[in-house]
Amino acid sequence: MSDETHPFAGEQYIAIGISTKQYDESIPIADEIVEGALDRESFVAPWAVVSLRETNVERAVARVGAAVTETAVRQMAGFAGYRTE
């Protein structure tokens, strides 16, 4: 989820988990990968947010498009109690 506009870009990253198990709140990503590839059907888990330091990142496997990121952020904010209504 991180890009060059975030604080500590290149040193620390915001990430959301990806799982091969689908739940009602999961976001399918099969047709949303814009870079790289996954070898199994996978889903974004917007409740599984983590902050990673550069030393924790070995390599990037795949990147999803902006629509998935937007959906995941909205759902994650809702799980954290933020409401736009």
Side-chain angles (χ1 to χ4, degrees):
M1 292 183 50
S2 292
D3 64 20
E4 63 281 345
T5 66
H6 292 137
F8 307 107
E11 298 175 29
Q12 193 169 4
Y13 303 90
I14 300 169
I16 291 184
I18 294 177
S19 174
T20 57
K21 183 162 177 150
Q22 183 177 16
Y23 299 93
D24 289 341
E25 298 84 0
S26 298
I27 304 166
I29 59 172
D31 297 327
E32 303 296 332
I33 296 175
V34 297
E35 185 179 315
L38 298 173
D39 61 358
R40 292 188 274 175
E41 183 178 24
S42 300
F43 307 86
V44 169
W47 56 88
V49 180
V50 65
S51 176
L52 300 171
R53 294 197 176 277
E54 179 188 22
T55 57
N56 300 117
V57 178
E58 184 176 306
R59 64 189 167 89
V61 177
R63 181 180 300 268
V64 296
V68 171
T69 301
E70 287 286 328
T71 301
V73 168
R74 283 192 185 101
Q75 287 185 5
M76 183 262 314
F79 291 135
Y82 180 78
R83 302 284 179 241
T84 58
E85 299 132 17

Coordinates of all heavy atoms in Angstrom, one line a residue:
M1 N 0.8 -1.2 0.0 CA 0.0 0.0 0.0 C 0.9 1.3 0.0 O 0.4 2.3 -0.3 CB -0.9 0.0 1.2 CG -2.0 -1.1 1.2 SD -3.0 -1.0 2.6 CE -3.5 0.7 2.6
S2 N 2.1 1.1 0.4 CA 3.0 2.3 0.5 C 3.5 2.8 -0.9 O 3.6 2.0 -1.8 CB 4.2 2.0 1.4 OG 3.7 1.8 2.7
D3 N 3.7 4.1 -1.0 CA 4.4 4.6 -2.1 C 5.3 5.8 -1.7 O 5.5 6.0 -0.5 CB 3.3 5.1 -3.2 CG 2.5 6.2 -2.7 OD1 2.8 6.9 -1.8 OD2 1.4 6.4 -3.3
E4 N 5.8 6.5 -2.6 CA 6.8 7.5 -2.3 C 6.3 8.7 -1.6 O 7.0 9.5 -1.0 CB 7.6 8.0 -3.6 CG 6.7 8.6 -4.6 CD 5.9 7.7 -5.5 OE1 6.2 6.5 -5.5 OE2 4.9 8.1 -6.1
T5 N 4.9 8.8 -1.5 CA 4.3 10.0 -0.7 C 4.2 9.7 0.7 O 3.9 10.6 1.5 CB 2.9 10.3 -1.3 OG1 2.0 9.2 -1.0 CG2 3.0 10.6 -2.8
H6 N 4.4 8.5 1.2 CA 4.3 8.1 2.6 C 5.5 8.5 3.4 O 6.6 8.5 2.9 CB 4.0 6.6 2.8 CG 2.7 6.2 2.2 ND1 2.5 5.1 1.5 CD2 1.4 6.8 2.3 CE1 1.2 5.0 1.2 NE2 0.6 6.0 1.7
P7 N 5.3 8.8 4.7 CA 6.5 9.1 5.5 C 7.5 7.9 5.5 O 7.0 6.7 5.5 CB 5.9 9.3 6.9 CG 4.5 9.6 6.7 CD 4.1 8.9 5.4
F8 N 8.7 8.1 5.5 CA 9.8 7.1 5.6 C 9.8 6.2 4.4 O 10.1 5.0 4.5 CB 9.7 6.3 6.9 CG 9.7 7.1 8.1 CD1 8.5 7.3 8.8 CD2 10.8 7.8 8.5 CE1 8.5 8.1 10.0 CE2 10.8 8.6 9.7 CZ 9.7 8.7 10.4
A9 N 9.4 6.7 3.2 CA 9.3 5.9 2.0 C 10.7 5.2 1.7 O 11.7 5.8 1.9 CB 8.9 6.8 0.8
G10 N 10.6 4.0 1.4 CA 11.8 3.2 1.1 C 12.4 2.6 2.4 O 13.3 1.8 2.3
E11 N 12.0 3.0 3.6 CA 12.5 2.5 4.8 C 11.4 1.7 5.6 O 11.7 0.8 6.3 CB 12.9 3.7 5.7 CG 14.1 4.5 5.1 CD 14.5 5.7 6.0 OE1 14.3 5.6 7.2 OE2 14.9 6.6 5.4
Q12 N 10.2 2.2 5.4 CA 9.1 1.5 6.2 C 7.8 1.5 5.3 O 7.6 2.4 4.5 CB 8.7 2.3 7.4 CG 7.9 1.6 8.4 CD 7.8 2.3 9.8 OE1 8.4 3.3 10.0 NE2 7.1 1.7 10.7
Y13 N 7.1 0.4 5.3 CA 6.0 0.2 4.4 C 4.7 -0.2 5.2 O 4.7 -0.8 6.2 CB 6.3 -0.9 3.4 CG 7.5 -0.7 2.6 CD1 8.8 -1.1 3.1 CD2 7.5 0.0 1.4 CE1 9.9 -0.9 2.4 CE2 8.6 0.2 0.7 CZ 9.9 -0.2 1.2 OH 11.0 0.1 0.5
I14 N 3.5 0.2 4.6 CA 2.2 -0.3 5.1 C 1.8 -1.4 4.2 O 1.8 -1.2 2.9 CB 1.2 0.8 5.1 CG1 1.6 2.0 5.9 CG2 -0.2 0.3 5.5 CD1 0.8 3.3 5.7
A15 N 1.5 -2.5 4.7 CA 1.1 -3.7 3.9 C -0.2 -4.3 4.4 O -0.5 -4.2 5.6 CB 2.2 -4.7 4.0
I16 N -1.0 -4.9 3.6 CA -2.2 -5.6 3.9 C -2.0 -7.1 3.5 O -1.5 -7.4 2.4 CB -3.4 -5.0 3.2 CG1 -3.7 -3.7 3.8 CG2 -4.6 -5.9 3.4 CD1 -5.0 -3.0 3.3
G17 N -2.4 -8.0 4.3 CA -2.2 -9.4 4.1 C -2.9 -9.9 2.9 O -4.0 -9.4 2.5
I18 N -2.4 -11.0 2.3 CA -3.0 -11.7 1.2 C -3.1 -13.2 1.6 O -2.1 -13.7 2.2 CB -2.2 -11.6 -0.1 CG1 -2.2 -10.1 -0.6 CG2 -2.7 -12.5 -1.2 CD1 -1.4 -9.9 -1.8
S19 N -4.2 -13.8 1.4 CA -4.5 -15.2 1.8 C -5.1 -15.9 0.6 O -5.7 -15.4 -0.3 CB -5.4 -15.2 3.0 OG -5.8 -16.5 3.3
T20 N -4.9 -17.3 0.6 CA -5.6 -18.1 -0.3 C -6.9 -18.5 0.2 O -7.7 -19.1 -0.5 CB -4.7 -19.4 -0.6 OG1 -4.5 -20.1 0.6 CG2 -3.4 -19.0 -1.3
K21 N -7.2 -18.2 1.4 CA -8.6 -18.5 2.0 C -9.5 -17.3 1.8 O -9.1 -16.2 2.1 CB -8.4 -18.9 3.5 CG -9.8 -19.3 4.1 CD -9.6 -20.0 5.4 CE -11.0 -20.3 5.9 NZ -11.1 -21.4 6.6
Q22 N -10.7 -17.6 1.3 CA -11.6 -16.5 1.1 C -12.6 -16.4 2.3 O -13.2 -17.4 2.7 CB -12.4 -16.7 -0.2 CG -13.3 -15.6 -0.5 CD -14.0 -15.7 -1.9 OE1 -14.0 -16.8 -2.4 NE2 -14.6 -14.7 -2.4
Y23 N -12.8 -15.2 2.7 CA -13.9 -14.9 3.7 C -14.8 -13.9 3.1 O -14.6 -13.3 2.1 CB -13.2 -14.2 5.0 CG -12.2 -15.1 5.7 CD1 -10.9 -15.1 5.3 CD2 -12.6 -16.1 6.6 CE1 -9.9 -15.9 6.0 CE2 -11.7 -16.9 7.2 CZ -10.4 -16.8 6.9 OH -9.5 -17.6 7.5
D24 N -16.0 -13.7 3.8 CA -17.0 -12.7 3.2 C -16.4 -11.4 2.9 O -16.7 -10.7 2.0 CB -18.2 -12.6 4.2 CG -19.0 -13.9 4.2 OD1 -18.9 -14.7 3.3 OD2 -19.8 -14.0 5.2
E25 N -15.5 -10.9 3.8 CA -14.9 -9.6 3.7 C -13.7 -9.5 2.8 O -13.1 -8.4 2.6 CB -14.6 -9.0 5.0 CG -15.8 -8.8 5.9 CD -16.1 -10.1 6.7 OE1 -15.5 -11.1 6.5 OE2 -17.1 -10.1 7.5
S26 N -13.2 -10.6 2.3 CA -12.0 -10.7 1.4 C -12.3 -10.0 0.1 O -13.4 -9.9 -0.4 CB -11.6 -12.1 1.2 OG -11.3 -12.8 2.3
I27 N -11.2 -9.5 -0.5 CA -11.2 -8.9 -1.8 C -10.5 -9.7 -2.8 O -9.3 -9.9 -2.7 CB -10.6 -7.5 -1.7 CG1 -11.2 -6.6 -0.6 CG2 -10.6 -6.8 -3.1 CD1 -10.5 -5.4 -0.3
P28 N -11.2 -10.3 -3.8 CA -10.5 -11.1 -4.8 C -9.6 -10.3 -5.7 O -9.9 -9.2 -6.0 CB -11.7 -11.7 -5.6 CG -12.9 -11.0 -5.2 CD -12.6 -10.2 -4.0
I29 N -8.4 -10.9 -6.0 CA -7.5 -10.1 -6.8 C -7.0 -10.8 -8.1 O -6.1 -10.3 -8.7 CB -6.2 -9.8 -5.9 CG1 -5.5 -11.0 -5.4 CG2 -6.6 -8.9 -4.8 CD1 -4.2 -10.8 -4.7
A30 N -7.7 -11.9 -8.5 CA -7.3 -12.6 -9.7 C -7.1 -11.7 -10.9 O -6.1 -11.9 -11.6 CB -8.3 -13.7 -9.9
D31 N -8.0 -10.8 -11.1 CA -7.9 -10.0 -12.3 C -7.3 -8.6 -12.0 O -7.4 -7.7 -12.9 CB -9.3 -9.8 -13.0 CG -9.8 -11.2 -13.5 OD1 -9.0 -12.0 -13.9 OD2 -11.1 -11.4 -13.4
E32 N -6.8 -8.4 -10.9 CA -6.4 -7.1 -10.4 C -4.9 -6.9 -10.2 O -4.4 -5.9 -9.8 CB -7.1 -6.7 -9.1 CG -8.6 -6.8 -9.2 CD -9.2 -5.7 -10.1 OE1 -8.5 -4.7 -10.3 OE2 -10.3 -6.0 -10.7
I33 N -4.1 -8.0 -10.6 CA -2.7 -7.9 -10.4 C -2.1 -7.1 -11.6 O -2.3 -7.5 -12.7 CB -2.1 -9.3 -10.3 CG1 -2.6 -10.0 -9.0 CG2 -0.5 -9.2 -10.3 CD1 -2.2 -11.4 -8.9
V34 N -1.4 -6.1 -11.3 CA -0.8 -5.2 -12.3 C 0.7 -5.4 -12.5 O 1.3 -5.0 -13.5 CB -1.1 -3.7 -12.1 CG1 -2.6 -3.4 -12.1 CG2 -0.5 -3.3 -10.7
E35 N 1.3 -6.1 -11.6 CA 2.7 -6.4 -11.7 C 3.0 -7.7 -10.9 O 2.5 -7.9 -9.8 CB 3.5 -5.3 -11.1 CG 5.0 -5.4 -11.2 CD 5.7 -4.2 -10.6 OE1 5.3 -3.1 -10.8 OE2 6.7 -4.4 -9.8
G36 N 3.8 -8.6 -11.5 CA 4.1 -9.9 -10.8 C 3.0 -10.9 -11.0 O 2.2 -10.7 -11.9
A37 N 3.1 -11.9 -10.2 CA 2.1 -13.0 -10.3 C 2.0 -13.8 -9.0 O 2.9 -13.9 -8.3 CB 2.4 -13.9 -11.5
L38 N 0.8 -14.4 -8.8 CA 0.6 -15.3 -7.7 C 0.2 -16.7 -8.3 O -0.5 -16.7 -9.3 CB -0.5 -14.8 -6.8 CG -0.2 -13.5 -6.1 CD1 -1.4 -13.0 -5.3 CD2 1.0 -13.6 -5.2
D39 N 0.7 -17.8 -7.8 CA 0.5 -19.1 -8.4 C -0.8 -19.7 -7.9 O -1.1 -20.8 -8.4 CB 1.7 -20.0 -8.2 CG 2.0 -20.3 -6.7 OD1 1.3 -19.7 -5.8 OD2 2.9 -21.0 -6.4
R40 N -1.5 -19.1 -7.0 CA -2.8 -19.6 -6.5 C -3.8 -18.5 -6.4 O -3.4 -17.3 -6.3 CB -2.7 -20.3 -5.2 CG -1.9 -21.5 -5.2 CD -1.9 -22.2 -3.9 NE -0.9 -21.7 -3.1 CZ -0.7 -22.0 -1.8 NH1 -1.5 -22.8 -1.2 NH2 0.3 -21.5 -1.1
E41 N -5.1 -18.8 -6.5 CA -6.2 -17.8 -6.3 C -6.0 -17.2 -4.9 O -5.8 -17.9 -3.9 CB -7.5 -18.4 -6.4 CG -8.7 -17.4 -6.3 CD -10.0 -18.0 -6.5 OE1 -10.2 -19.3 -6.3 OE2 -10.9 -17.3 -6.9
S42 N -6.0 -15.9 -4.9 CA -5.7 -15.2 -3.6 C -6.6 -14.0 -3.4 O -7.2 -13.5 -4.3 CB -4.2 -14.7 -3.6 OG -3.3 -15.8 -3.8
F43 N -6.7 -13.6 -2.1 CA -7.6 -12.6 -1.7 C -6.9 -11.6 -0.7 O -6.1 -12.1 0.1 CB -8.8 -13.2 -1.0 CG -9.4 -14.3 -1.8 CD1 -9.0 -15.6 -1.8 CD2 -10.5 -14.0 -2.7 CE1 -9.6 -16.6 -2.5 CE2 -11.1 -14.9 -3.4 CZ -10.6 -16.3 -3.4
V44 N -7.2 -10.3 -0.8 CA -6.7 -9.4 0.1 C -7.5 -9.5 1.4 O -8.8 -9.6 1.3 CB -6.8 -7.9 -0.4 CG1 -6.5 -6.9 0.6 CG2 -5.8 -7.7 -1.6
A45 N -6.9 -9.4 2.5 CA -7.5 -9.5 3.8 C -7.4 -8.1 4.5 O -6.4 -7.9 5.2 CB -6.9 -10.6 4.7
P46 N -8.4 -7.2 4.3 CA -8.2 -5.8 4.7 C -8.2 -5.6 6.2 O -7.9 -4.5 6.7 CB -9.4 -5.1 4.1 CG -10.4 -6.2 3.8 CD -9.6 -7.4 3.6
W47 N -8.4 -6.6 7.0 CA -8.3 -6.5 8.5 C -6.8 -6.9 8.9 O -6.5 -6.7 10.1 CB -9.3 -7.5 9.1 CG -9.1 -8.9 8.7 CD1 -8.3 -9.8 9.2 CD2 -9.7 -9.5 7.6 NE1 -8.3 -11.0 8.5 CE2 -9.2 -10.8 7.5 CE3 -10.7 -9.1 6.6 CZ2 -9.6 -11.7 6.5 CZ3 -11.1 -10.0 5.7 CH2 -10.6 -11.3 5.6
A48 N -6.0 -7.4 8.0 CA -4.6 -7.8 8.4 C -3.6 -6.8 7.9 O -2.9 -6.9 6.9 CB -4.4 -9.2 7.7
V49 N -3.5 -5.6 8.6 CA -2.6 -4.5 8.3 C -1.4 -4.6 9.1 O -1.4 -4.9 10.3 CB -3.3 -3.2 8.5 CG1 -2.4 -2.0 8.1 CG2 -4.6 -3.1 7.7
V50 N -0.2 -4.4 8.5 CA 1.0 -4.4 9.2 C 2.0 -3.3 8.7 O 1.9 -2.9 7.5 CB 1.7 -5.8 9.0 CG1 2.1 -6.1 7.6 CG2 2.9 -6.0 9.9
S51 N 2.8 -2.8 9.5 CA 3.9 -1.9 9.1 C 5.2 -2.7 9.1 O 5.6 -3.4 10.0 CB 4.0 -0.8 10.2 OG 5.0 0.1 9.9
L52 N 5.8 -2.6 7.9 CA 7.1 -3.4 7.7 C 8.3 -2.5 7.5 O 8.1 -1.5 6.8 CB 6.9 -4.3 6.5 CG 5.9 -5.3 6.5 CD1 5.7 -6.0 5.1 CD2 6.1 -6.4 7.6
R53 N 9.4 -2.8 8.1 CA 10.6 -2.1 7.8 C 11.3 -2.7 6.6 O 11.0 -3.9 6.3 CB 11.5 -2.1 9.0 CG 11.0 -1.4 10.2 CD 12.1 -1.2 11.2 NE 11.7 -0.4 12.3 CZ 11.6 1.0 12.3 NH1 12.0 1.6 11.3 NH2 11.2 1.6 13.4
E54 N 12.1 -2.0 6.0 CA 12.8 -2.4 4.8 C 13.5 -3.8 5.0 O 13.5 -4.7 4.2 CB 13.8 -1.4 4.3 CG 14.6 -1.9 3.0 CD 15.7 -0.9 2.7 OE1 16.2 -0.2 3.6 OE2 16.1 -1.0 1.5
T55 N 14.1 -4.0 6.2 CA 14.8 -5.2 6.5 C 13.8 -6.4 6.6 O 14.3 -7.5 6.5 CB 15.5 -5.1 7.8 OG1 14.6 -4.7 8.9 CG2 16.6 -4.1 7.7
N56 N 12.5 -6.2 6.7 CA 11.5 -7.3 6.8 C 11.0 -7.7 5.4 O 10.3 -8.7 5.3 CB 10.3 -6.9 7.6 CG 10.7 -6.5 9.0 OD1 10.5 -5.4 9.5 ND2 11.2 -7.5 9.8
V57 N 11.4 -6.9 4.4 CA 10.9 -7.2 3.0 C 12.0 -7.8 2.2 O 13.0 -7.2 1.9 CB 10.4 -5.9 2.3 CG1 9.9 -6.2 0.9 CG2 9.3 -5.2 3.1
E58 N 11.8 -9.1 1.8 CA 12.7 -9.8 1.1 C 12.6 -9.5 -0.4 O 13.5 -9.3 -1.1 CB 12.6 -11.3 1.3 CG 13.6 -12.1 0.6 CD 13.5 -13.6 0.9 OE1 13.5 -13.9 2.1 OE2 13.4 -14.4 0.0
R59 N 11.3 -9.5 -0.9 CA 11.0 -9.2 -2.3 C 9.6 -9.0 -2.5 O 8.7 -9.4 -1.7 CB 11.5 -10.4 -3.2 CG 10.7 -11.7 -3.0 CD 11.3 -12.8 -3.8 NE 10.8 -14.1 -3.3 CZ 9.7 -14.7 -3.7 NH1 9.1 -14.1 -4.7 NH2 9.3 -15.8 -3.3
A60 N 9.2 -8.3 -3.5 CA 7.8 -8.1 -3.9 C 7.4 -9.2 -4.8 O 8.1 -9.5 -5.8 CB 7.6 -6.7 -4.5
V61 N 6.3 -9.8 -4.6 CA 5.8 -10.9 -5.4 C 4.8 -10.4 -6.5 O 4.9 -10.8 -7.6 CB 5.2 -12.0 -4.6 CG1 4.6 -13.1 -5.5 CG2 6.2 -12.6 -3.6
A62 N 3.9 -9.6 -6.0 CA 2.9 -9.0 -7.0 C 2.4 -7.7 -6.4 O 2.5 -7.4 -5.2 CB 1.8 -10.0 -7.1
R63 N 1.8 -6.9 -7.3 CA 1.2 -5.6 -6.9 C -0.1 -5.6 -7.6 O -0.3 -5.9 -8.7 CB 2.1 -4.5 -7.5 CG 1.6 -3.1 -7.1 CD 2.5 -2.0 -7.6 NE 3.8 -2.1 -7.1 CZ 4.3 -1.5 -6.0 NH1 3.4 -0.7 -5.3 NH2 5.5 -1.6 -5.6
V64 N -1.1 -5.1 -6.7 CA -2.5 -5.0 -7.2 C -2.7 -3.6 -7.7 O -2.0 -2.6 -7.3 CB -3.5 -5.4 -6.2 CG1 -3.4 -6.9 -5.9 CG2 -3.4 -4.6 -4.9
G65 N -3.8 -3.4 -8.4 CA -4.2 -2.0 -8.9 C -4.8 -1.1 -7.9 O -5.1 -1.6 -6.7
A66 N -4.9 0.1 -8.2 CA -5.4 1.1 -7.3 C -6.8 0.9 -6.8 O -7.1 1.2 -5.6 CB -5.3 2.5 -8.0
A67 N -7.7 0.2 -7.6 CA -9.0 0.0 -7.2 C -9.1 -1.0 -6.0 O -9.8 -0.8 -5.0 CB -9.8 -0.6 -8.3
V68 N -8.2 -2.0 -6.0 CA -8.1 -2.9 -4.9 C -7.6 -2.2 -3.6 O -8.1 -2.4 -2.5 CB -7.2 -4.2 -5.2 CG1 -7.0 -5.0 -4.0 CG2 -7.9 -5.0 -6.3
T69 N -6.6 -1.4 -3.8 CA -6.0 -0.7 -2.7 C -7.1 0.2 -2.1 O -7.3 0.3 -0.8 CB -4.8 0.2 -3.1 OG1 -3.8 -0.7 -3.6 CG2 -4.2 0.9 -1.9
E70 N -7.8 1.0 -2.9 CA -8.9 1.9 -2.4 C -10.0 1.1 -1.6 O -10.4 1.5 -0.5 CB -9.6 2.6 -3.6 CG -8.7 3.7 -4.2 CD -8.6 4.9 -3.3 OE1 -9.6 5.2 -2.6 OE2 -7.6 5.5 -3.3
T71 N -10.4 0.0 -2.2 CA -11.4 -0.9 -1.5 C -10.9 -1.4 -0.2 O -11.6 -1.3 0.9 CB -11.8 -2.0 -2.4 OG1 -12.3 -1.5 -3.6 CG2 -12.8 -2.9 -1.7
A72 N -9.6 -1.9 -0.2 CA -9.0 -2.4 1.0 C -8.9 -1.3 2.1 O -9.2 -1.6 3.3 CB -7.6 -3.0 0.7
V73 N -8.5 -0.1 1.7 CA -8.3 1.0 2.7 C -9.7 1.3 3.3 O -9.8 1.5 4.5 CB -7.7 2.2 2.1 CG1 -7.8 3.4 2.9 CG2 -6.2 1.9 1.7
R74 N -10.7 1.4 2.5 CA -12.1 1.7 3.0 C -12.5 0.7 4.0 O -13.1 1.0 5.1 CB -13.1 1.9 1.9 CG -12.9 3.2 1.1 CD -14.1 3.4 0.2 NE -13.9 4.6 -0.6 CZ -13.5 4.6 -1.9 NH1 -13.3 3.5 -2.5 NH2 -13.3 5.7 -2.5
Q75 N -12.4 -0.6 3.6 CA -12.8 -1.7 4.5 C -12.0 -1.7 5.8 O -12.5 -1.8 6.9 CB -12.7 -3.0 3.8 CG -13.8 -3.2 2.8 CD -13.7 -4.6 2.2 OE1 -12.9 -5.5 2.6 NE2 -14.6 -4.8 1.2
M76 N -10.6 -1.5 5.7 CA -9.8 -1.4 6.9 C -10.2 -0.3 7.8 O -10.2 -0.5 9.0 CB -8.3 -1.3 6.4 CG -7.3 -1.3 7.5 SD -6.7 0.3 8.2 CE -6.4 1.2 6.7
A77 N -10.5 0.8 7.3 CA -10.9 2.0 8.1 C -12.2 1.7 8.8 O -12.3 2.0 10.0 CB -11.0 3.2 7.2
G78 N -13.1 1.0 8.2 CA -14.3 0.6 8.8 C -14.1 -0.4 9.9 O -14.7 -0.3 11.0
F79 N -13.2 -1.4 9.7 CA -12.8 -2.3 10.8 C -12.2 -1.6 12.0 O -12.4 -2.0 13.1 CB -11.8 -3.4 10.3 CG -12.4 -4.3 9.3 CD1 -11.8 -4.7 8.1 CD2 -13.7 -4.9 9.5 CE1 -12.3 -5.6 7.2 CE2 -14.2 -5.8 8.6 CZ -13.5 -6.2 7.5
A80 N -11.5 -0.5 11.7 CA -10.9 0.3 12.8 C -11.9 1.3 13.4 O -11.5 2.0 14.4 CB -9.7 1.1 12.3
G81 N -13.1 1.3 13.0 CA -14.1 2.1 13.6 C -14.4 3.5 12.9 O -15.3 4.2 13.3
Y82 N -13.7 3.8 11.8 CA -14.0 5.0 11.1 C -15.2 4.9 10.2 O -15.3 3.9 9.4 CB -12.7 5.3 10.2 CG -12.9 6.6 9.4 CD1 -12.7 7.8 10.0 CD2 -13.2 6.6 8.1 CE1 -12.9 9.0 9.3 CE2 -13.4 7.7 7.3 CZ -13.2 9.0 8.0 OH -13.4 10.1 7.2
R83 N -16.1 5.8 10.3 CA -17.3 5.8 9.5 C -17.4 7.1 8.7 O -17.2 8.2 9.2 CB -18.6 5.7 10.4 CG -18.6 4.5 11.3 CD -18.9 3.3 10.5 NE -18.9 2.1 11.4 CZ -18.1 1.1 11.2 NH1 -17.3 1.0 10.2 NH2 -18.2 0.0 12.0
T84 N -17.8 7.0 7.5 CA -18.0 8.2 6.6 C -19.4 8.7 6.6 O -19.7 9.7 6.1 CB -17.5 7.9 5.2 OG1 -18.3 6.8 4.7 CG2 -16.1 7.5 5.1
E85 N -20.3 8.0 7.2 CA -21.7 8.4 7.2 C -22.0 9.3 8.4 O -21.4 9.4 9.4 CB -22.6 7.1 7.4 CG -22.4 6.2 6.3 CD -22.2 4.7 6.8 OE1 -22.5 4.4 7.9 OE2 -21.8 4.0 6.0

